[in-house]
Amino acid sequence: MTACSLLSYIAIAWMKMVPMQTIRSRVQFFKISALSLVFCVSVVFGNISLRFLPVSFNQAVGATTPFFTAIFAYLMTLKREAWLTYLTLVPVVAGVIIASGGEPSFHLFGFIMCISATAARALKSVLQGILLSSEGDYKLVVRISR
């Protein structure tokens, strides 16, 4: 992340590849901070889970990201998907549950970290859609006031 930040700064400030942008308001700073925090949590939890679980199992659990995305989208924006969408998620989630029961190197803490990382990735996607859209301020305010 440090290398990415440094190289991005060089590309923007010195090489003038794209114009420099500044944070214009506290609201914009809050949006960036919230997305950064959720992203950081997803990376940290994902790395912790890799200490306890094999990569293949980690990837299998990651297949539930659309399930968590649909849940968070509904909870945060009250946006419902088509019933067929939810129906197609059932075999994926069921497969992960079956795989969890049959995983020889299953570790509960690693599994909790892996599920948490997957949920955090989904939450980041939903937050990104809400916070970075032009009407994101309105959606967020309406949802908080309820």
Side-chain angles (χ1 to χ4, degrees):
M1 290 176 73
T2 303
C4 183
S5 297
L6 179 63
L7 294 174
S8 295
Y9 182 77
I10 291 169
I12 294 168
W14 294 350
M15 299 173 68
K16 308 282 188 211
M17 295 180 93
V18 293
M20 177 74 80
Q21 295 183 9
T22 58
I23 297 175
R24 296 182 192 98
S25 66
R26 286 184 157 212
V27 173
Q28 188 180 30
F29 178 76
F30 167 73
K31 290 178 180 184
I32 294 167
S33 298
L35 286 173
S36 298
L37 179 65
V38 173
F39 177 69
C40 182
V41 165
S42 74
V43 170
V44 168
F45 285 2
N47 287 341
I48 291 171
S49 73
L50 286 171
R51 178 163 163 63
F52 299 99
L53 299 173
V55 174
S56 58
F57 184 62
N58 213 301
Q59 290 293 314
V61 172
T64 61
T65 303
F67 168 76
F68 287 108
T69 303
I71 297 296
F72 286 131
Y74 177 72
L75 291 174
M76 297 176 77
T77 66
L78 299 179
K79 178 186 172 203
R80 286 192 176 151
E81 300 294 331
W83 67 270
L84 188 58
T85 302
Y86 295 115
L87 188 64
T88 58
L89 293 173
V90 171
V92 173
V93 174
V96 169
I97 291 169
I98 292 168
S100 299
E103 176 61 38
S105 45
F106 181 83
H107 191 278
L108 182 61
F109 180 71
F111 181 72
I112 290 170
M113 288 292 103
C114 189
I115 287 288
S116 299
T118 302
R121 279 194 300 274
L123 178 61
K124 184 185 81 68
S125 296
V126 173
L127 281 176
Q128 216 167 331
I130 294 170
L131 298 177
L132 298 182
S133 69
S134 59
E135 56 193 59
D137 293 336
Y138 175 73
K139 285 182 185 177
L140 189 61
V141 170
V142 168
R143 186 67 186 147
I144 290 172
S145 65
R146 290 184 185 186

